């Protein structure tokens, strides 16, 4: 009697097999929606390999210049495992496929494991995915990081939660070398945790420069060793709303492990109201008629003490921030205070500037550029400095930010033989519906009349997130996924990515990947993600 109730495993499985087959046929073997930003060359087939988190290995190739102990890649393997297998908790799970090992073999040509990414770092990589193995080859660890991100986006799950990756061949490299995001931490303080999460999200879209607009008129949160009063008197709060030296090191270290440069900006002579609270005699006293008005304007460009202060401050900044570039600002200088001050007017007359205050600003910026050049830093300035600067030989990199015919300005800068960063079309701080992402996508940075040599001077572009209406509560959804539209424009081949309509399914897929990775990316339209945002 008992024996009659026994059912073999095969007998049990047989009626369920047809249900499984029906689900398999309906959902079928499929490819992932795609990779964002789109690789330069990308071929994929329906032939796929199952992946098991318990039988998946990162390996250094035998010919790789970097081996175990490489800080950048060892950390990347630890980070990417849960991104490749987001549901894996470490417990054994019943699979329909035997857990045969799958190896991702990484080979890099140079051991730059302990260095920082720079403006010349190669991010080129080749990725070949076949049965039971993937090969990732790159010139540098920074290229390997980009390839790891691509591999993580190729992995997908079926309806049973099993992981797969399709046979794929990719050759990839960025179209532009400078692909940045600006965060403004003066108008609203952003906690370090928020900055670090933004760096994570940047890497998911292959951004490689964090432009840290760290100080401005409202507050001076950078805690200087040389001039501690700048933050103790100029920050919103001297203890809670500052970035200590340790905080800055943490941001730089985190960025390095993602292959992201940290570009600090200390904007002057305008946008410096907070500086004056902790440094007397730095700002220009304004006059009403022949009397002091009690207010202050831009940095005072006529005093030797100004340049002594700047030299000491930038010496410190240059030692704290390892990048070879520094952003000196130079935008939106209000000349009314300068013109009201009799000492400034006397200096103008002595220098033969007449009443042309753009010449005074050029004189000031020339001195600041010389200070940073002596510290082996290459200066980046906003376009205002180029517009006002007759002696352009001292300038190197100009960032175009104004609206109107911004490509006209790009052309003028390139024609002068200077490198250009384009920011004008990518100001994301103003609230706007996510469905306007296409206007950030359909930007053509090189659509100006110029020679090939001039177009090569356009080194990239930048998404700007100014802080008037942005803090930690709304930064992430305002930035993502719209910033990723700019990311693809700056990375991918323009001809292959000219249609926003064709890109939309991949963009939706990216948005859902960001959400699953804990990034509060706004929805693009009506719909759902298989894995909705679970954070609080």
């Amino acid at each position: 009697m008992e024996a009659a109730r026994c059912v073999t495993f095969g007998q049990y499985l047989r009626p369920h097999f047809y249900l499984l087959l029906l689900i398999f046929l309906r959902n079928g073997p499929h490819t992932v929606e795609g990779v964002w930003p789109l690789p330069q060359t990308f071929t994929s087939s329906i032939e796929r390999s199952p992946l098991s988190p318990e039988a998946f290995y990162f390996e250094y190739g035998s010919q790789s210049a970097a081996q175990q102990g490489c800080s950048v890649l060892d950390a990347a393997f630890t980070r990417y495992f849960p991104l490749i297998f987001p549901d894996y908790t470490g417990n054994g799970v019943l699979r329909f496929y035997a857990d045969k090992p799958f190896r991702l073999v990484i080979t890099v040509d140079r051991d730059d494991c302990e260095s920082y990414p720079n403006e010349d770092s190669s991010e080129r990589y080749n990725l070949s995915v076949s049965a039971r193995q993937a090969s990732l080859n790159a010139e540098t660890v920074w290229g390997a990081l980009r390839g790891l991100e691509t591999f993580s986006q190729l992995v997908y799950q079926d309806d049973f939660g099993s992981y797969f990756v399709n046979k794929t061949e990719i050759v990839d490299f960025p179209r532009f070398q400078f692909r940045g995001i600006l965060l403004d931490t003066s108008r609203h303080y952003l906690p370090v945790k928020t900055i670090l999460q933004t760096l994570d999200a940047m890497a998911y879209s292959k951004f490689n420069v964090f432009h840290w607009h760290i100080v401005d008129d409202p507050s001076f949160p950078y805690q200087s060793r040389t001039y501690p009063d700048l933050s103790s008197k100029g920050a919103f709060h001297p203890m809670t709303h500052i970035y200590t030296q340790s905080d800055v090191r943490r941001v730089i270290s985190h960025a390095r492990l993602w292959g992201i440069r940290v570009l600090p900006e200390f904007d002057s002579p305008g946008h410096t109201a907070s500086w004056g609270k902790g440094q007397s005699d730095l700002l220009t006293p304004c006059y009403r008629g022949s009397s002091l008005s009690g207010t202050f304007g831009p940095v005072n460009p006529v005093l030797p003490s100004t340049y002594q202060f700047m030299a000491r401050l930038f010496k410190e900044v240059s030692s704290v921030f390892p990048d070879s570039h520094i952003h000196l600002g130079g935008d939106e200088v209000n000349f009314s205070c300068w013109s009201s001050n009799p000492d400034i007017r006397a200096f103008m007359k002595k220098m033969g500037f007449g009443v042309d205050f753009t010449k005074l600003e050029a004189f000031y910026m020339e001195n600041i550029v010389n200070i940073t050049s002596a510290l082996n830093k290459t200066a980046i300035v906003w376009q205002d400095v180029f517009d006002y600067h007759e002696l352009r030989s001292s300038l190197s990199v100009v960032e175009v930010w104004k609206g109107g015919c911004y490509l006209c300005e790009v052309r003028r800068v390139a024609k002068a033989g200077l490198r250009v960063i384009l920011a004008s079309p990518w100001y994301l701080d103003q609230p706007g519906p996510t469905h306007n992402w296409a206007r950030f996508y359909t930007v053509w940075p090189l659509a100006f009349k110029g020679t090939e040599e001039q177009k090569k001077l356009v080194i990239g572009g930048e998404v700007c997130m100014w802080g008037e209406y942005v803090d930690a509560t709304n930064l992430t959804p305002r930035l993502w996924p719209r910033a990723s539209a700019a990311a693809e424009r700056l990375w991918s081949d323009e001809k292959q990515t000219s249609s926003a309509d064709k890109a939309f399914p991949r963009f939706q897929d990216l948005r859902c990947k960001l959400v699953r990775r804990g990034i509060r990316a706004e929805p693009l339209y009506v719909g759902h993600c298989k894995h909705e945002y679970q954070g609080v």
Side-chain angles (χ1 to χ4, degrees), residues 30-71:
H30 64 284
T31 59
V32 71
E33 281 290 349
V35 175
W36 194 283
L38 187 71
Q40 301 291 338
T41 65
F42 182 10
T43 56
S44 184
S45 77
I46 61 171
E47 185 182 335
R48 66 183 187 175
S49 292
L51 300 181
S52 167
E54 293 178 342
F56 178 89
Y57 304 96
F58 295 100
E59 287 186 9
Y60 289 95
S62 60
Q63 301 300 309
S64 176
Q67 293 291 333
Q68 189 170 356
C70 174
S71 59

Side-chain angles (χ1 to χ4, degrees), residues 455-493:
K455 293 189 177 189
K456 284 178 184 174
L457 290 170
V458 181
I459 60 172
E462 182 167 83
V463 169
C464 293
M465 184 57 70
W466 297 103
E468 283 88 348
Y469 306 100
V470 176
D471 67 5
T473 65
N474 64 348
L475 168 69
T476 300
R478 191 163 292 186
L479 194 53
W480 309 106
R482 294 186 301 163
S484 299
E488 179 150 291
R489 180 55 54 236
L490 294 169
W491 179 282
S492 304
D493 177 75

Side-chain angles (χ1 to χ4, degrees), residues 49-220:
S49 292
L51 300 181
S52 167
E54 293 178 342
F56 178 89
Y57 304 96
F58 295 100
E59 287 186 9
Y60 289 95
S62 60
Q63 301 300 309
S64 176
Q67 293 291 333
Q68 189 170 356
C70 174
S71 59
V72 172
L73 292 181
D74 286 357
F77 300 158
T78 301
R79 280 198 314 271
Y80 270 104
F81 188 86
L83 296 178
I84 294 168
F85 302 108
D87 286 341
Y88 182 63
T89 58
N91 301 319
V93 180
L94 178 65
R95 301 283 175 190
F96 288 102
Y97 301 90
D99 288 349
K100 294 179 181 177
F102 188 102
R103 289 178 169 80
L104 174 52
V105 182
I106 292 91
T107 302
V108 296
D109 297 339
R110 292 206 299 272
D111 179 1
D112 35 18
C113 297
E114 303 310 316
S115 65
Y116 289 89
N118 60 57
E119 71 276 14
D120 297 319
S121 295
S122 168
E123 295 171 283
R124 175 185 290 269
Y125 68 91
N126 295 356
L127 179 62
S128 177
V129 182
S130 54
R132 303 290 164 208
Q133 180 166 310
S135 298
L136 170 57
N137 298 308
E139 294 173 18
T140 67
V141 295
W142 320 118
L145 290 176
R146 305 299 170 239
L148 285 169
E149 177 56 40
T150 295
F151 181 83
S152 76
Q153 293 188 25
L154 291 173
V155 177
Y156 59 93
Q157 288 175 276
D158 66 9
D159 287 340
F160 304 104
S162 295
Y163 297 94
F164 297 91
V165 65
N166 288 66
K167 185 176 180 180
T168 305
E169 296 289 334
I170 289 174
V171 177
D172 202 12
F173 51 87
R175 182 184 179 204
F176 292 104
Q177 194 63 25
F178 187 107
R179 306 178 309 282
I181 285 188
L182 176 151
L183 294 185
D184 170 7
T185 58
S186 172
R187 291 176 176 87
H188 281 98
Y189 177 84
L190 295 175
V192 171
K193 180 182 176 184
T194 302
I195 295 173
L196 300 184
Q197 187 188 50
T198 302
L199 291 169
D200 296 348
M202 285 171 64
Y204 302 154
S205 290
K206 298 186 172 73
F207 281 104
N208 69 343
V209 180
F210 167 40
H211 176 171
W212 195 349
H213 188 88
I214 193 166
V215 298
D216 205 298
D217 280 327
S219 74
F220 197 108

Side-chain angles (χ1 to χ4, degrees), residues 3 82 98 120 163 225 245 287 321 376 404 421 435 466 486 491 494:
D120 297 319
Y163 297 94
R225 291 190 305 259
Q245 296 286 312
Y287 280 73
F321 291 89
N376 294 318
I421 298 165
H435 63 252
W466 297 103
W491 179 282
E494 190 170 282

Side-chain angles (χ1 to χ4, degrees), residues 77 106 219 228 233 244 254 279 297 345 369 377 388 413 463 470 475 477 500 517 522:
F77 300 158
I106 292 91
S219 74
K233 296 180 179 178
T244 65
H254 193 89
Q279 183 67 19
R345 293 199 303 268
V369 169
K377 296 290 186 180
Y388 296 156
V413 176
V463 169
V470 176
L475 168 69
R517 292 179 178 189
E522 282 188 331

